[in-house]
Amino acid sequence: MAIHSLTHTTFGFNLDSTRAQQPQQNAYLSCVLASHLADSSPRRILSVSKKRRATVSFVDSDDKASGFHGPKPSEVYGFVGSITTVVATVIFLVWAYVPESWLHSIGIFYYPSRYWALAVPAYAMMTVVLALGFYCGVNFMSTPPPSSLYTVYDEFSRDPLSSAPMGGDDQPIEPISDISIDRINRSMFK
């Protein structure tokens, strides 16, 4: 009898009471799961128990709508893309740096010229530099000079409506408009 009580109350931990609590916990988990699946409007679900502290879980709308608990397509595409990038980099480095005799010894006889191992990265870097320069040049060409009136007014300018100010608190909100240059000068250079 002493061995029996020792096995069930090892280190002051009563195993019989935990076995009795398991159905309660399973019922609690199924209740939380049922409420989680039934209520789909909030993105955040708060579950409160008398014995436990409140827990907050963030639910993705894709998981609730589909009922599928596997990986998301964006995760799969990211994983496949990263693996493909690593494999392509390894193949490029092997092609660029391994001597031809080693490639022939393992049975690889057809591959592009080594000229392209240097030419493709150089062309890519120069394309990026020229694209940035072209972008800045187009912006400079499309901007009017500082002396032009188009820096103050253009076809999208909106003049404020001139209406008599109403007295009291019944003033309506003015529609969106540009502030005229003379009003800006008056407020800045008084």
Side-chain angles (χ1 to χ4, degrees):
M1 188 67 161
I3 294 173
H4 180 70
S5 64
L6 180 65
T7 59
H8 288 290
T9 58
T10 306
F11 302 110
F13 186 76
N14 190 353
L15 295 177
D16 290 332
S17 66
T18 58
R19 287 186 187 132
Q21 288 177 356
Q22 282 180 347
Q24 292 174 350
Q25 288 176 348
N26 289 340
Y28 170 73
L29 289 175
S30 65
C31 178
V32 168
L33 240 146
S35 68
H36 163 68
L37 294 174
D39 185 23
S40 64
S41 60
R43 287 187 60 93
R44 192 172 83 179
I45 297 173
L46 178 66
S47 61
V48 181
S49 173
K50 293 179 184 177
K51 296 179 183 179
R52 294 171 39 140
R53 292 177 37 186
T55 60
V56 177
S57 64
F58 293 95
V59 179
D60 193 9
S61 61
D62 295 338
D63 292 341
K64 291 192 312 187
S66 66
F68 178 68
H69 298 290
K72 297 179 189 172
S74 60
E75 293 173 354
V76 173
Y77 293 148
F79 176 73
V80 170
S82 64
I83 295 298
T84 304
T85 302
V86 168
V87 169
T89 303
V90 168
I91 289 173
F92 175 79
L93 292 175
V94 165
W95 166 60
Y97 291 110
V98 172
E100 289 185 15
S101 60
W102 290 11
L103 292 176
H104 292 294
S105 67
I106 60 173
I108 299 175
F109 295 102
Y110 180 75
Y111 47 85
S113 172
R114 298 285 171 102
Y115 164 79
W116 296 107
L118 292 175
V120 170
Y123 287 153
M125 289 180 59
M126 285 308 298
T127 302
V128 169
V129 169
L130 290 174
L132 289 173
F134 182 74
Y135 178 73
C136 290
V138 167
N139 281 334
F140 279 128
M141 288 175 48
S142 64
T143 304
S147 61
S148 172
L149 283 178
Y150 287 114
T151 58
V152 179
Y153 300 106
D154 62 359
E155 67 268 11
F156 300 108
S157 296
R158 291 179 154 182
D159 292 330
L161 297 175
S162 60
S163 60
M166 301 175 75
D169 293 334
D170 296 334
Q171 293 182 350
I173 297 173
E174 293 182 16
I176 294 175
S177 64
D178 293 331
I179 301 173
S180 64
I181 192 71
D182 58 337
R183 186 173 171 189
I184 292 173
N185 286 338
R186 275 196 314 266
S187 62
M188 288 183 66
F189 303 114
K190 274 188 176 181

